[in-house]
Amino acid sequence: MNTLVDTYGRIHRNLRVSLTDRCNLRCTYCMPNDFAAWLPSEHQLTTDELVRVIEIAVSEGINEVRLTGGEPLLRPDIVEIVARINGISNPPKLSMTTNGLALAKLAQPLVDAGLSRINISLDTLDRERFKKLTFRDRINDVFAGIDAARTAGLKPLKINSVLMRGVNDDESIALLRWALKENLNLRFIEQMPLDAGGAWSRDQMITADEIYAQLSSEFTLTPVEDRGSSPAEEFYIDGGPAVVGIIGSVTRPFCGDCDRVRLTSDGQIRACLFSMTETDMRAILRSNDLTPDQKRESLVKAFHSTIKAKLPGHGINDPSFIQPTRPMSAIGG
Ligand code: SAM
Ligand code: SF4
C-alpha cells in the first residue's frame, strides 16, 4: 500500500480540505470584520478538481478527509462534494468542521450523501457575546444547526471552542455543563497565531493548563489513555463516560505524531498549518501541456515531495517564528 511518509517517519493519513476561504461569520481570532483579501474566485478548485485531488490523496494512503474552510457549507455544491467523495473507491472516513449556521437546512441532505461525523464551532452560549465575537447576530442558527445535526443522526457531535482572555474565558465551565446536558463532546482549542489581523499574543492566550485548572475546579478530570495522532488530550469527566478534550496546539505541540496535510480551496498543498511554502496542484490540474496520465503522475509526485519537505514542528515557540501570510480562514482549520 502507498504511504505519504516524511523524513521523520510520520505517515500521513489525514487530509484537511478547505472548500472556500469565504465565511458568514467574522470570528475575531480568524478573520477581521473588514477582511477583504479574498482568494480570486476563479482560483477556487471546481468540484471535479477537488474530487480528483482527493482521489489521488486516497490512492497514496490518505484514509481520513475533513472538509473545512472558511465555512464549508457556503459551497453551493457541498452535498455533491460529500456524495462524490463517498463514491471514490476505498472512500476515506469523511468529516466536516462547520460553524453550523446552515446545518438546519443541510444536515439531513449531508447525512443522506454519506457524511457521518461533524464538528461544530461555538465559543459562547451568550447571544450578545456571540455578536461581539463573530460580528453577526446568529447564535440561534448555530443552536438550530446543532439540533438538526442530532436529528439527522450525526454522532458523536463535537463542539470546538476557543477561549479568549477577557472575552469568554469565564465560560469554560458553563460550556462544559451545557455540553454534558446536550450530550455533546466539547473540545477547547488554544488560540493559535493565525488571525489575519496579527492580533494573537502569547501573553494573552488562554493556555491548556489554564483550561485544565478551570475545569478541574468543578469536575474531576481523568486522562483518557491512547491519544494516537489525535490533537486533543481527552479527559473523562467525573469518572466518565463523557469526555472533554483540550487541544494545546501552542503550549503542548503534538507535531511528533502529526499525520495531517492540507489542501487549500485554491489548490495548494500545505504540509502544516504554519508552512511557509505550498505546492501548486491547481497549476498541474489546469495545465494544457500535460496528458491526463502526466497530470496524475505530477499530482502524486507533488503530494510526496510536499510531505518529504515537512519540518519536524510548527515552530510557534521558536524565537524566529514568522506567522504565515494566509489567515486560518484561507488555510482551513
Ligand atoms: N468555519 C468553520 C468553523 O468555524 O468551524 C470551519 C473553519 S474554522 C477555521 C475551523 C476551526 O478553526 C474552528 O473550530 C475555529 O474555532 C478554529 N480556529 C479558527 N481560527 C483559530 C485560531 N486562530 N486559533 C485556534 N483555532 C482557530
Ligand atoms: Fe468563519 Fe470558522 Fe473563521 Fe469563524 S472560525 S470566521 S466561522 S472560518
Side-chain angles (χ1 to χ4, degrees):
M1 185 175 139
N2 294 335
T3 47
L4 290 164
V5 57
D6 70 13
T7 50
Y8 302 91
R10 293 172 296 190
I11 294 173
H12 290 70
R13 299 274 184 220
N14 196 314
L15 177 68
R16 307 261 162 148
V17 179
S18 174
L19 296 180
T20 174
D21 63 325
R22 309 299 206 267
C23 192
N24 37 12
L25 294 182
R26 293 289 181 274
C27 306
T28 48
Y29 48 73
C30 181
M31 198 194 284
N33 190 26
D34 57 356
F35 189 66
W38 307 113
L39 298 170
S41 48
E42 67 276 18
H43 286 182
Q44 184 169 283
L45 295 192
T46 63
T47 320
D48 284 346
E49 290 171 336
L50 267 168
V51 175
R52 184 92 192 98
V53 177
I54 294 170
E55 242 168 21
I56 284 172
V58 168
S59 76
E60 298 312 296
I62 291 292
N63 60 16
E64 278 194 62
V65 170
R66 175 170 293 275
L67 303 176
T68 179
E71 176 45 41
L73 298 182
L74 289 182
R75 280 280 296 224
D77 53 350
I78 184 66
V79 175
E80 185 192 347
I81 290 172
V82 168
R84 287 191 52 188
I85 294 172
N86 272 309
I88 59 189
S89 75
N90 249 330
K93 276 194 244 161
L94 186 59
S95 59
M96 180 185 289
T97 302
T98 168
N99 63 26
L101 295 189
L103 272 182
K105 193 175 69 186
L106 286 170
Q108 192 61 56
L110 287 168
V111 169
D112 294 345
L115 187 73
S116 55
R117 295 186 304 158
I118 203 157
N119 288 21
I120 301 173
S121 304
L122 182 64
D123 307 319
T124 178
L125 301 171
D126 180 81
R127 182 175 166 188
E128 287 308 312
R129 268 194 188 173
F130 185 91
K131 256 164 67 179
K132 226 168 130 183
L133 220 151
T134 67
F135 289 88
R136 303 288 186 271
D137 185 10
R138 305 219 32 201
I139 196 168
N140 287 330
D141 293 326
V142 184
F143 290 135
I146 293 171
D147 286 345
R150 188 186 281 117
T151 306
L154 288 163
K155 216 163 79 178
L157 270 181
K158 293 192 178 174
I159 303 292
N160 291 353
S161 293
V162 176
L163 295 178
M164 282 162 292
R165 200 171 301 286
V167 179
N168 63 342
D169 57 326
D170 58 352
E171 246 187 287
S172 57
I173 289 166
L175 279 162
L176 186 50
R177 282 199 195 293
W178 167 77
L180 287 170
K181 182 166 77 58
E182 297 284 330
N183 203 12
L184 302 165
N185 183 335
L186 180 64
R187 298 128 45 92
F188 291 100
I189 308 175
E190 274 183 349
Q191 187 182 353
M192 294 179 278
L194 282 170
D195 55 314
W200 179 87
S201 125
R202 182 179 300 278
D203 303 339
Q204 284 301 308
M205 64 168 285
I206 305 289
T207 63
D209 282 351
E210 275 182 270
I211 299 166
Y212 179 84
Q214 287 181 3
L215 300 179
S216 298
S217 71
E218 263 320 286
F219 304 95
T220 303
L221 301 183
T222 319
V224 176
E225 303 301 331
D226 193 19
R227 175 181 181 182
S229 62
S230 162
E233 283 180 80
E234 288 198 310
F235 301 91
Y236 291 113
I237 306 161
D238 294 338
V243 293
V244 62
I246 302 179
I247 304 182
S249 322
V250 179
T251 63
R252 299 183 189 196
F254 33 86
C255 303
D257 291 318
C258 181
D259 69 347
R260 280 173 286 282
V261 53
R262 289 161 199 275
L263 173 67
T264 66
S265 62
D266 59 344
Q268 310 299 306
I269 295 280
R270 298 173 66 88
C272 173
L273 271 176
F274 295 93
S275 292
M276 298 307 273
T277 56
E278 302 180 333
T279 310
D280 190 353
M281 305 299 245
R282 189 182 75 245
I284 302 172
L285 287 161
R286 296 186 184 175
S287 163
N288 292 322
D289 301 329
L290 299 172
T291 64
D293 280 352
Q294 287 170 329
K295 281 188 187 180
R296 186 189 160 78
E297 203 180 308
S298 300
L299 292 167
V300 167
K301 269 196 193 143
F303 261 115
H304 284 278
S305 61
T306 307
I307 299 298
K308 277 272 176 312
K310 181 160 172 160
L311 298 175
H314 57 42
I316 302 174
N317 300 311
D318 300 345
S320 58
F321 174 72
I322 300 171
Q323 181 170 332
T325 44
R326 273 184 196 259
M328 182 67 125
S329 55
I331 300 174

